[in-house]
Amino acid sequence: MHRLLDYILWLPLLGALLILFIPSQKKEAIRWSALGTTLLTFILTIVLYLGFDQSVAGMQEQFSVKFPWIEQFNIFYSLGVDGISLPMILLTGLLCFLCVLSSWTVEKSVKAYFALFLMLECSVMGVFMSLDFFLFYVFWEVMLIPMFFLIGVWGGENREYAAIKFFLYTFAGSVLMLVGMIALYFLSGKNVDSFNILALQGGKFSNEILNVFGTTLSFSKFFFVMLFIGFAIKVPVFPFHTWLPHAHVQAPTAVSVILAGVLLKMGTYGFLRIAFPIFPEASVYFKEAIAWLGLVNIIYGALCAMAQTDVKKLIAYSSVSHMGFVMVGLAAMTIQGTNGAVLQMFNHGTSTAMMFLMIGVLYERSHHRWIVRPDGTKGFGGLYTQLPVFSIIFIISMFASMGLPGLSGFISEALIFLGIYQEFTTITVLAVIGLLIGAAYLLWMFKRMFFGEVIDSVKDYSDMNAREIFYMIPLCIAVIFFGIYPSPVLNIMKGSVGSLVELLGRFQ
Amino acid sequence: MVNLGLNYLNSLSVYVPEALALVVMVGLVFLEATYNHNEKRKMTNYFSLIGLFSIIVVLFLNLSNAPTTAFFNAVAIDPFSTLMKLMMTLGTIGAIYLNSVTKEINLNSKNEFNILVVGVLIGGMILASANNMLTLYVGVETLSILSYVLASFKRSNEMSSEAGLKYSLYGGVSAGLMLFGLSHIYGVFGTIQFTGLVDQLNQLNMNQTLVLIPSFLLFFVGLGYKIACVPFHMWTPDVYQGSPLPVTTFFSIVPKLAGIAAVMRISMIFLGGEGLFSTSIIGLLVVVSALTMTVGNVTAIGQQSVKRMLAYSSISHAGFMLMGVVVLGQDGVSAISYYSMVYVFMTLVAFYVVGFVSDHYGNDDFNRFNGLIKRNPLMAILLTISMVSLAGIPPFGGFVAKFNILSAAVNNKFYTLAFIGGLNSVVSLYYYIKIVRYMVFNKEESDDSILGFNAVNRSVLVALSLPIIILGIKWSGFLSITEKAIISIF
């Protein structure tokens, strides 16, 4: 039990190695081993959830793993789990399992695809578990390599451009983080705790100053901004979001799901785990700015989504909009706001994954994603009469994404609004407009695709098969269940969020 | 007289690696003269490889020896210089092996290549532990003159001849400038020895300092040209592209590391103190380092020949290593040692793959790498590892090297330089990934596999790649070696 995190982390990599030894002609064997690995990993994350002690606010003693890695730099191989990382680990485990199922139809270099996919799962798990800054950084970066190939080889027609843009953008962000990490190491005295994320927390660097670019700046403010850019690129926060539509549109379905469902959350997780607690006074100083950037995300993302004619791009921009809610919720630094933000991270993970999976299902039949083709004709029409099962599941995911009461998106958005109203009244009012636009673009998209005249090409689409229905069911259950009864997730994170907000409150 | 003799014998006992290298070189000359027919050709390769491996063993055993001087302070032997020599010898072995398995250099002159590279290696070794101006100059010249011949090795090829000429013209001018600078430094101190210079530096008056600054810069020209830092880098791309591939491989490792070792030692001696002289030179070196990285990286982006791209990338890596130089002190020395350790393996892997591919097609255009992953997966994967590592992405050695250098810079408050370095690795990622793009994303032009890439070569390439991964994951052991690599100032 006490090495459970180790197993969850390394099992996918083991699976990847196993796949490398299966001859590439045996496609079925490869698929089943990938499925087995991800299923086992998911089961282990459930075991982790069951063994999790909700009354503990900090890292769970029973699960933490710590060994020296590089003694000279005081780098440790140190893993742990708390109420903020557990939902993310669960989400990763679930989505990776479902993604393998949805990737069953991949025929191009099956072996490499699943091997890279499992490596991706390993590195994402690593990011959510690391308690050592260096280890965190290594996983954060390693993730780029499988991602680059997954987009670049199995993606759409403009995949190369998307893959490179994604790679360069994220790498640029993380390099800034690297310098910040090194600076923190030396400033905190090069001791055993200098890469320890937990030990660095608590605003120890409030009064330090820094000489850089020929001027003197506050250490914490400067490096908060550097870390902010690094994480903001991942989220992505407004001026750094331009890689996202390309990456999403070009990536194969399963990779889009992981990208939207889990990878974007790594950015906000970085704020929660690193940027906010290590530089609390700087985060309080910049909170207004972060909230406004979040608002721009909400409105701008929604408006961009409205203008799209490619349905996948539309969902990609809706992610920008939804992550804006997370940012605003985090910036409020109140209990409800942060709870709402973490819950939104989880709920957006499930609902957007549903959307991308559904679009993937549709794409396998239509081989295009145009709502309106560039020449002005309709891409889809009357899907509702042709594909009833598909339509019902699509409606569930759409309403979950829209935040309809009774479905998961509503709870988290409501919590966020509750949390930010006191702090940023103007932003709250404006953010509601974002919600409206969100409803508008989704319903409009639905109207254009599912209602109206049945166009010819739609007539020979078959409805969802058993495999496809099978992997949508867990997500349907999740969005409905957590929409009615969100307490399981809220209870896990209550303690950890509480202590974070309390820490930030000391610097307000 | 007896004392003098004893002193020489003593000195020789710490000078075994250089002496061995000389034995190898002379032995090769004899072998070439005696056995000039083809069947015996393999023998010369074996001889040089065995000789160089024994040098490696000796250097490895000497790695933890106490620092000492030899030949009346003309040569300083310390763990740092020993480590750098070790890396240079490894690079030489790599070049000799690559030469023996590729067709770049024609059969008749393969042995001459071996003789010359061992000669350059000797020059590099002298340079790495030079402790007075004369030894330094001798080292630079031994290194250079033989390099000119190497550059123009493909006699019938226009580009190669041009490379040789360019190299020698540049080299001649910079050696002259260097000597001019050295003569002024001699004028200021009244000695050619570096020993005891540190004390004298602290007692210089204003006039002497004002003479010393420009003369040190002239002196730096000679070394700057060897490590190809901006603005003395202009020769590199043409020479690297024109030279035969084993020579390019060799050039991007041995002279570079020798130059870096010398620059590091000299900076430690001259710039250790406070005051106008050291602050102004360090300020300049910071600018040179930043410019070298940036110019190297930005120019590499547009290249169509992989060899030329690697040439520019090696310029930017020199800039990175210079970042360790400006730090001065043990941080910088360790970081540079680690960097060169990783750099040797990354460069060798990259050039090996490029060597086999260009051997197969007769050129090294990016298009020749199209779809390599389908035709030769192992080659493509190893080249990808090397490229990703060169860009500094974990879990590979290049990242740890970058981390070490950035740590050294940040620890000594060179934040701006650290940021420039970090952003440069983003720029470099673009062109390193470009070749991966050709290999993995593009459709293959033909489906023939690369000739000459047999099981032996495969295992050699894997053996060269393994250190890249090990140096990136379990690096505490290597770090303890580089931490002990100190420069002692006598």
Side-chain angles (χ1 to χ4, degrees):
Chain A
M1 192 73 164
H2 69 286
R3 298 298 294 274
L4 189 58
L5 290 185
D6 263 344
Y7 301 142
I8 296 177
L9 176 58
W10 297 114
L11 196 68
L13 192 68
L14 262 176
L17 290 178
L18 175 78
I19 284 175
L20 288 182
F21 286 104
I22 302 175
S24 47
Q25 300 90 338
K26 297 192 172 163
K27 291 184 178 172
E28 283 301 305
I30 292 169
R31 287 179 185 132
W32 283 102
S33 7
L35 188 68
T37 314
T38 46
L39 178 62
L40 200 56
T41 316
F42 178 52
I43 291 172
L44 287 180
T45 60
I46 301 273
V47 173
L48 178 70
Y49 169 71
L50 296 175
F52 188 86
D53 183 357
Q54 298 184 345
S55 60
V56 178
M59 288 291 155
Q60 303 272 306
E61 269 309 313
Q62 46 172 338
F63 295 117
S64 59
V65 182
K66 192 169 188 176
F67 297 109
W69 179 16
I70 310 295
E71 292 88 354
Q72 291 92 333
F73 274 101
N74 297 306
I75 296 169
F76 287 84
Y77 168 74
S78 144
L79 305 177
V81 60
D82 72 349
I84 296 173
S85 51
L86 181 61
M88 296 299 112
I89 293 171
L90 278 170
L91 188 65
T92 313
L94 173 66
L95 289 185
C96 285
F97 168 61
L98 299 178
C99 282
V100 170
L101 271 177
S102 89
S103 307
W104 219 255
T105 44
V106 170
E107 287 294 336
K108 186 178 176 185
S109 323
V110 178
K111 182 170 158 175
Y113 177 86
F114 283 108
L116 286 169
F117 190 83
L118 291 175
M119 281 180 213
L120 181 68
E121 182 178 9
C122 167
S123 50
V124 172
M125 287 288 189
V127 167
F128 289 132
M129 289 175 185
S130 304
L131 289 185
D132 185 283
F133 206 160
F134 189 88
L135 190 67
F136 175 89
Y137 184 83
V138 168
F139 282 123
W140 180 275
E141 288 269 271
V142 167
M143 185 220 70
L144 299 178
I145 302 169
M147 203 62 193
F148 171 73
F149 288 113
L150 283 171
I151 299 176
V153 177
W154 289 272
E157 56 209 42
N158 208 358
R159 53 182 181 261
E160 271 188 46
Y161 173 76
I164 290 162
K165 193 164 185 175
F166 166 78
F167 203 172
L168 286 177
Y169 241 100
T170 3
F171 189 52
S174 44
V175 160
L176 298 177
M177 184 159 81
L178 176 66
V179 180
M181 176 178 96
I182 295 170
L184 270 174
Y185 170 72
F186 286 107
L187 194 67
S188 59
K190 299 195 265 184
N191 55 34
V192 277
D193 281 335
S194 291
F195 274 125
N196 184 340
I197 293 176
L198 299 177
L200 289 171
Q201 296 179 350
K204 292 175 183 151
F205 312 101
S206 321
N207 303 318
E208 304 289 342
I209 53 154
L210 172 82
N211 291 308
V212 68
F213 303 131
T215 52
T216 307
L217 299 166
S218 150
F219 180 89
S220 54
K221 282 184 190 131
F222 181 78
F223 279 112
F224 177 79
V225 173
M226 290 298 132
L227 289 182
F228 180 86
I229 295 173
F231 295 135
I233 287 174
K234 207 60 158 209
V235 172
V237 177
F238 163 62
F240 311 110
H241 68 285
T242 55
W243 62 268
L244 181 124
H246 296 283
H248 265 312
V249 171
Q250 301 304 330
T253 304
V255 178
S256 296
V257 172
I258 294 296
L259 192 60
V262 186
L263 259 53
L264 304 191
K265 277 76 191 176
M266 282 166 53
T268 41
Y269 178 78
F271 287 119
L272 285 162
R273 173 72 70 233
I274 290 170
F276 282 7
I278 293 182
F279 301 117
E281 77 298 338
S283 358
V284 170
Y285 180 82
F286 286 114
K287 69 186 230 183
E288 194 92 28
I290 299 172
W292 279 103
L293 280 177
L295 180 70
V296 174
N297 255 36
I298 295 174
I299 305 282
Y300 176 79
L303 287 175
C304 282
M306 187 105 122
Q308 299 309 318
T309 50
D310 179 330
V311 59
K312 205 172 181 187
K313 217 166 185 169
L314 185 145
I315 303 304
Y317 274 112
S318 87
S319 288
V320 175
S321 177
H322 285 132
M323 291 311 280
F325 284 108
V326 179
M327 290 309 295
V328 176
L330 288 180
M333 298 176 185
T334 56
I335 294 276
Q336 289 95 339
T338 315
N339 264 332
V342 180
L343 191 63
Q344 170 81 343
M345 279 158 69
F346 184 83
N347 287 340
H348 178 246
T350 50
S351 66
T352 202
M354 277 182 90
M355 290 299 270
F356 277 116
L357 286 171
M358 292 312 283
I359 290 164
V361 169
L362 187 60
Y363 183 76
E364 278 181 18
R365 286 155 179 76
S366 61
H367 302 289
H368 77 87
R369 289 183 300 254
W370 298 111
I371 305 172
V372 179
R373 287 176 198 275
D375 57 11
T377 55
K378 288 185 80 171
F380 297 100
L383 286 174
Y384 193 82
T385 52
Q386 292 296 310
L387 311 170
V389 182
F390 178 82
S391 307
I392 288 166
I393 300 178
F394 196 91
I395 289 170
I396 297 173
S397 58
M398 183 183 73
F399 281 132
S401 169
M402 201 190 291
L404 194 77
L407 293 170
S408 62
F410 172 72
I411 309 278
S412 43
E413 277 166 14
L415 269 174
I416 289 172
F417 281 122
L418 269 178
I420 63 175
Y421 183 72
Q422 296 283 320
E423 293 284 329
F424 316 114
T425 315
T426 324
I427 291 176
T428 316
V429 174
L430 292 172
V432 174
I433 300 174
L435 221 51
L436 279 177
I437 308 173
Y441 66 72
L442 283 171
L443 288 173
W444 191 33
M445 178 260 294
F446 191 77
K447 185 205 123 192
R448 285 184 290 175
M449 286 172 69
F450 286 77
F451 296 150
E453 223 173 291
V454 180
I455 65 168
D456 284 344
S457 57
V458 171
K459 280 181 183 149
D460 33 281
Y461 296 171
S462 54
D463 210 343
M464 288 170 83
N465 61 31
R467 176 180 60 86
E468 289 161 347
I469 294 173
F470 177 74
Y471 67 67
M472 292 310 297
I473 285 176
L475 290 171
C476 286
I477 294 173
V479 294
I480 296 170
F481 180 77
F482 292 119
I484 299 165
Y485 186 60
S487 310
V489 186
L490 281 174
N491 284 342
I492 310 175
M493 64 201 197
K494 198 166 59 187
S496 308
V497 167
S499 60
L500 174 67
V501 171
E502 190 264 331
L503 166 71
L504 292 169
R506 272 187 268 144
F507 292 87
Q508 297 267 2
Chain B
M1 203 56 202
V2 176
N3 274 340
L4 199 68
L6 275 180
N7 191 313
Y8 259 100
L9 280 178
N10 255 336
S11 300
L12 266 183
S13 72
V14 295
Y15 220 49
V16 176
E18 282 85 345
L20 262 177
L22 200 63
V23 170
V24 173
M25 187 180 169
V26 174
L28 281 171
V29 172
F30 274 111
L31 278 177
E32 166 74 4
T34 325
Y35 302 109
N36 57 353
H37 37 286
N38 281 336
E39 309 88 69
K40 302 284 178 185
R41 188 135 281 131
K42 274 203 164 143
M43 203 173 137
T44 61
N45 276 330
Y46 289 137
F47 179 74
S48 39
L49 288 178
I50 291 167
L52 290 174
F53 269 115
S54 59
I55 295 175
I56 288 209
V57 171
V58 173
L59 284 169
F60 193 77
L61 295 175
N62 287 352
L63 213 51
S64 47
N65 282 3
T68 173
T69 58
F71 303 115
F72 306 101
N73 291 336
V75 171
I77 313 281
D78 48 24
F80 175 70
S81 65
T82 312
L83 189 70
M84 291 306 260
K85 286 173 200 167
L86 190 68
M87 291 305 134
M88 284 186 246
T89 319
L90 263 177
T92 314
I93 291 177
I96 287 180
Y97 185 77
L98 185 60
N99 175 40
S100 71
V101 292
T102 57
K103 295 176 291 195
E104 275 276 300
I105 293 175
N106 75 41
L107 219 51
N108 295 324
S109 26
K110 275 205 195 297
N111 190 34
E112 290 166 28
F113 172 86
N114 295 356
I115 298 172
L116 287 169
V117 291
V118 176
V120 178
L121 176 67
I122 296 172
M125 284 173 152
I126 295 174
L127 189 56
S129 52
N131 199 37
N132 73 23
M133 296 177 201
L134 219 53
T135 336
L136 192 96
Y137 187 73
V138 169
V140 169
E141 283 299 275
T142 318
L143 200 68
S144 305
I145 292 172
L146 295 175
S147 302
Y148 306 150
V149 185
L150 277 174
S152 48
F153 221 80
K154 278 206 285 198
R155 271 159 240 154
S156 51
N157 185 312
E158 238 175 72
M159 295 257 286
S160 186
S161 313
E162 186 194 323
L165 186 65
K166 242 182 199 157
Y167 202 9
S168 59
L169 282 177
Y170 250 98
V173 172
S174 62
L177 288 176
M178 181 179 171
L179 210 53
F180 188 65
L182 281 176
S183 64
H184 282 72
I185 297 176
Y186 172 75
V188 171
F189 294 109
T191 172
I192 58 163
Q193 296 285 3
F194 291 154
T195 310
L197 214 69
V198 180
D199 302 326
Q200 275 180 288
L201 265 166
N202 293 328
Q203 294 151 12
L204 292 182
N205 60 32
M206 199 56 192
N207 287 339
Q208 283 171 315
T209 311
L210 288 181
V211 175
L212 194 57
I213 293 174
S215 34
F216 186 83
L217 287 180
L218 286 175
F219 170 33
F220 185 77
V221 170
L223 293 171
Y225 144 84
K226 274 286 123 196
I227 59 175
C229 65
V230 174
F232 318 115
H233 68 290
M234 302 292 190
W235 59 273
T236 326
D238 288 343
V239 170
Y240 278 28
Q241 195 185 11
S243 307
L245 203 107
V247 177
T248 315
T249 316
F250 183 73
F251 279 171
S252 55
I253 297 174
V254 177
K256 196 148 265 187
L257 294 188
I260 285 282
V263 168
M264 189 74 222
R265 182 182 303 283
I266 284 156
S267 311
M268 293 279 276
I269 293 167
F270 278 84
L271 308 176
E274 306 268 309
L276 178 66
F277 172 64
S278 53
T279 33
S280 52
I281 300 287
I282 288 177
L284 253 166
L285 281 180
V286 169
V287 176
V288 167
S289 160
L291 273 179
T292 307
M293 289 187 261
T294 314
V295 170
N297 277 329
V298 171
T299 333
I301 289 176
Q303 301 307 322
Q304 267 313 308
S305 148
V306 177
K307 226 160 108 185
R308 206 173 165 87
M309 179 205 89
L310 287 173
Y312 279 110
S313 112
S314 85
I315 295 178
S316 82
H317 281 281
F320 242 89
M321 288 195 241
L322 274 180
M323 210 153 124
V325 173
V326 298
V327 164
L328 298 172
Q330 192 47 42
D331 289 13
V333 179
S334 309
I336 286 184
S337 313
Y338 201 94
Y339 207 102
S340 34
M341 214 150 41
V342 183
Y343 177 77
V344 169
F345 291 107
M346 295 188 298
T347 314
L348 282 179
V349 172
F351 275 111
Y352 266 54
V353 177
V354 176
F356 284 115
V357 172
S358 74
D359 221 30
H360 186 76
Y361 293 107
N363 69 51
D364 58 339
D365 201 84
F366 269 97
N367 290 326
R368 298 294 89 75
F369 289 80
N370 278 349
L372 195 67
I373 189 91
K374 282 267 152 52
R375 285 180 288 155
N376 225 316
L378 182 75
M379 222 179 211
I381 289 170
L382 295 182
L383 186 58
T384 304
I385 289 180
S386 155
M387 288 297 136
V388 170
S389 174
L390 279 166
I393 291 177
F396 302 114
F399 165 69
V400 179
K402 185 176 86 175
F403 173 75
N404 274 311
I405 290 264
L406 289 181
S407 303
V410 167
N411 192 20
N412 293 277
K413 306 278 182 276
F414 289 103
Y415 289 108
T416 315
L417 194 57
F419 274 112
I420 294 174
L423 291 175
N424 258 298
S425 66
V426 181
V427 179
S428 75
L429 178 68
Y430 180 78
Y431 62 83
Y432 288 131
I433 217 69
K434 181 171 163 189
I435 189 160
V436 178
R437 234 165 70 203
Y438 277 82
M439 288 193 302
V440 181
F441 298 169
N442 285 7
K443 272 235 148 31
E444 55 267 36
E445 291 174 333
S446 55
D447 50 0
D448 50 342
S449 55
I450 305 293
L451 291 175
F453 195 56
N454 55 27
V456 180
N457 291 332
R458 244 179 238 139
S459 33
V460 168
L461 197 60
V462 170
L464 285 174
S465 312
L466 278 180
I468 302 180
I469 300 170
I470 298 167
L471 282 160
I473 293 176
K474 196 62 201 154
W475 41 286
S476 49
F478 295 96
L479 205 59
S480 54
I481 296 177
T482 57
E483 274 182 346
K484 282 185 208 124
I486 44 169
I487 289 185
S488 2
I489 302 165
F490 294 96

